[in-house]
Amino acid sequence: MSEISSSCASQVITCKAAVCWGVGEECKVEDIQVEPPQKCEVRVKMLYASLCHTDIVISKGYPIPLFPRVLGHEGVGVVESVGEEVNAEDFKQGDIVIPTFVSECQECENCLSSKSNLCLKYPLTFSGLMLDGTSRMSTVKGQKMLYHLFSCSTWSEYMVVNVNFLAKLHNWGAHGTTTPPLSHASFLSCGFSTGFGAPWKEAKIERGSTVAVIGLGAVGLGAVEGARKQGAARIIGVDKNEMKREKGIAFGMTDFINPENHQSQHDQDHNKSVSELIKDCTDGMGVDYCFECTGVASFINEALVATKMGKGTAVVIGTSSSPTLQIDFLSLMSGRTLKGSMFGGLRAKTDLPILINKCMNKEMQLDELLTHEVPLTDINQAFELLKQPECVKVLIKI
């Protein structure tokens, strides 16, 4: 570790961050203090972040109402300083990094298995604290502790993160103008990567498969792109927002269903369910794979029912605040599979670098995701923009 980095690592930094003080409250951009990185941690100067539906759900107190809290788990930044026992070959001052919120120790039972990407040694945390059970952030006034979000808090000018929940962007920008802007790297932290990974790593769909994607936000568009890359023959996108038709086609969607535009020919007062509409597109058979990307609890059952009897698989990747849901028992007993997914089944060290290379080579259309941009000081505007029909992804300039 360099002398400069050692010096920086011993100082508390006062900076701006978006703090959420309670369930459903607006974020307030205010001064906070960010402590030095401890053992196996780095402090990151954030450059860009983005807003995900998961941030909204957590701001409403799910799964645990921990406040005050600095939200944000998608973003890209530069390492400002490193703590003890951080290998310089892994992370050093000046490295461009993104948070991953899932880890991969490559030693535990899950990491050595091909069945899960959820590390047992460094598990996903919902405590809002670092691995040692403490926070690295506090308010300037009153010195009140601030909770993190997962293992990071990207809506802050500086944040501290454990190295096990961080990925380095090797050579991003080395190809000049042919490389996507650094701002786009923030979209690799969660939503789009989660969607892309689900057909590839979680479902492992076969070439020629039929696929349905419920919800064409950033996660859903990632699932469309992932299904296309895996060689799906048909990709049916479902969204009540007609403006998502064009976006879906850009990522490889072959068919589009707007549930609000369809009614039964036999009963004009009966709106067809999403599963019925998907089956109408597949001669009543259903699809091989259906990806639920909205987090709406009722759509999880619809995703299951929309798949083929005996072998269909529904994968849940949208974040929901509903603690329980109802599942059609007969559909489940008829040989269909319902599977949950975290980060699309992607492994932080094994798979994410592959995804990063695809983005650097412009094999993935990150440009199509960015629709709006706001500074950190206007963070609450990002929440409003996400409600707009044309909005897919809001970039937050730190």
Side-chain angles (χ1 to χ4, degrees), residues 46-49 154-158 374-376 396-398:
M46 295 304 301
L47 301 175
Y48 301 95
T154 61
W155 296 358
S156 175
E157 292 178 331
Y158 289 87
V374 299
L376 178 64
I396 302 167
K397 294 182 67 176
I398 308 295

Side-chain angles (χ1 to χ4, degrees), residues 341-356:
S341 177
M342 188 67 70
F343 201 37
L346 293 173
R347 298 180 179 225
K349 294 180 181 178
T350 304
D351 302 320
L352 199 55
I354 297 174
L355 209 59
I356 291 170

Side-chain angles (χ1 to χ4, degrees), residues 10-148:
S10 65
Q11 300 173 5
V12 173
I13 290 179
T14 299
C15 66
K16 298 289 185 183
V19 181
C20 183
W21 284 89
V23 175
E25 292 188 19
E26 286 193 344
C27 292
K28 295 181 180 179
V29 178
E30 54 189 277
D31 288 334
I32 71 165
Q33 290 188 330
V34 180
E35 296 178 5
Q38 301 302 309
K39 184 174 68 174
C40 297
E41 296 174 355
V42 302
R43 188 161 55 188
V44 179
K45 176 180 173 61
M46 295 304 301
L47 301 175
Y48 301 95
S50 51
L51 172 62
C52 173
H53 180 67
T54 300
D55 298 304
I56 298 175
V57 170
I58 291 178
S59 74
K60 296 178 180 178
Y62 181 84
I64 307 172
L66 300 172
F67 300 98
R69 193 171 204 162
V70 178
L71 299 175
H73 62 291
E74 300 182 347
V76 60
V78 57
V79 173
E80 176 265 346
S81 58
V82 302
E84 295 179 0
E85 298 187 20
V86 176
N87 191 327
E89 293 181 0
D90 296 328
F91 298 101
K92 62 183 183 299
Q93 190 181 40
D95 284 343
I96 304 297
V97 294
I98 60 172
T100 60
F101 86 86
V102 295
S103 182
E104 182 185 358
C105 73
Q106 298 180 318
E107 297 175 352
C108 73
E109 178 183 344
N110 279 6
C111 286
L112 294 176
S113 164
S114 61
K115 297 181 179 180
S116 177
N117 68 324
L118 298 181
C119 180
L120 298 176
K121 186 175 181 180
Y122 302 106
L124 176 67
T125 173
F126 293 98
S127 68
L129 301 171
M130 302 298 288
L131 295 182
D132 64 0
T134 64
S135 172
R136 299 290 173 270
M137 299 181 298
S138 61
T139 61
V140 172
K141 296 181 179 179
Q143 285 292 302
K144 187 175 181 64
M145 185 194 78
L146 295 169
Y147 287 99
H148 301 249

Side-chain angles (χ1 to χ4, degrees), residues 31-314:
D31 288 334
I32 71 165
Q33 290 188 330
V34 180
E35 296 178 5
Q38 301 302 309
K39 184 174 68 174
C40 297
E41 296 174 355
V42 302
R43 188 161 55 188
V44 179
K45 176 180 173 61
M46 295 304 301
L47 301 175
Y48 301 95
S50 51
L51 172 62
C52 173
H53 180 67
T54 300
D55 298 304
I56 298 175
V57 170
I58 291 178
S59 74
K60 296 178 180 178
Y62 181 84
I64 307 172
L66 300 172
F67 300 98
R69 193 171 204 162
V70 178
L71 299 175
H73 62 291
E74 300 182 347
V76 60
V78 57
V79 173
E80 176 265 346
S81 58
V82 302
E84 295 179 0
E85 298 187 20
V86 176
N87 191 327
E89 293 181 0
D90 296 328
F91 298 101
K92 62 183 183 299
Q93 190 181 40
D95 284 343
I96 304 297
V97 294
I98 60 172
T100 60
F101 86 86
V102 295
S103 182
E104 182 185 358
C105 73
Q106 298 180 318
E107 297 175 352
C108 73
E109 178 183 344
N110 279 6
C111 286
L112 294 176
S113 164
S114 61
K115 297 181 179 180
S116 177
N117 68 324
L118 298 181
C119 180
L120 298 176
K121 186 175 181 180
Y122 302 106
L124 176 67
T125 173
F126 293 98
S127 68
L129 301 171
M130 302 298 288
L131 295 182
D132 64 0
T134 64
S135 172
R136 299 290 173 270
M137 299 181 298
S138 61
T139 61
V140 172
K141 296 181 179 179
Q143 285 292 302
K144 187 175 181 64
M145 185 194 78
L146 295 169
Y147 287 99
H148 301 249
L149 193 156
F150 296 135
S151 55
C152 61
S153 287
T154 61
W155 296 358
S156 175
E157 292 178 331
Y158 289 87
M159 71 162 187
V160 175
V161 59
N162 186 282
V163 293
N164 293 287
F165 299 92
L166 206 60
K168 183 160 60 175
L169 300 181
H170 294 277
N171 301 319
W172 189 285
H175 304 297
T177 57
T178 62
T179 305
L182 184 59
S183 57
H184 289 23
S186 64
F187 302 149
L188 297 177
S189 305
C190 182
F192 186 78
S193 295
T194 295
F196 185 91
W200 171 33
K201 301 299 296 186
E202 202 71 76
K204 299 179 175 64
I205 71 173
E206 302 87 2
R207 182 169 295 276
S209 298
T210 53
V211 172
V213 177
I214 301 176
L216 296 178
V219 176
L221 292 174
V224 170
E225 174 88 339
R228 180 181 69 84
K229 287 286 188 181
Q230 289 298 107
R234 290 187 69 186
I235 306 172
I236 304 167
V238 182
D239 202 295
K240 66 179 182 179
N241 181 358
E242 191 65 29
M243 298 185 74
K244 295 295 179 67
R245 181 193 296 267
E246 185 177 344
K247 286 290 184 183
I249 292 173
F251 282 92
M253 181 183 72
T254 60
D255 303 80
F256 180 72
I257 295 174
N258 183 340
E260 296 188 346
N261 290 347
H262 292 78
Q263 286 186 321
S264 170
Q265 295 178 352
H266 305 292
D267 183 357
Q268 292 299 317
D269 295 325
H270 168 64
N271 290 327
K272 284 193 172 183
S273 67
V274 167
S275 58
E276 289 173 321
L277 294 172
I278 292 173
K279 286 183 175 180
D280 284 348
C281 285
T282 55
D283 298 323
M285 297 294 293
V287 291
D288 296 305
Y289 300 93
C290 187
F291 298 92
E292 204 301 301
C293 306
T294 69
V296 177
S298 60
F299 285 164
I300 295 174
N301 186 66
E302 290 295 304
L304 179 68
V305 177
T307 63
K308 289 180 179 177
M309 180 185 299
K311 67 169 189 173
T313 298

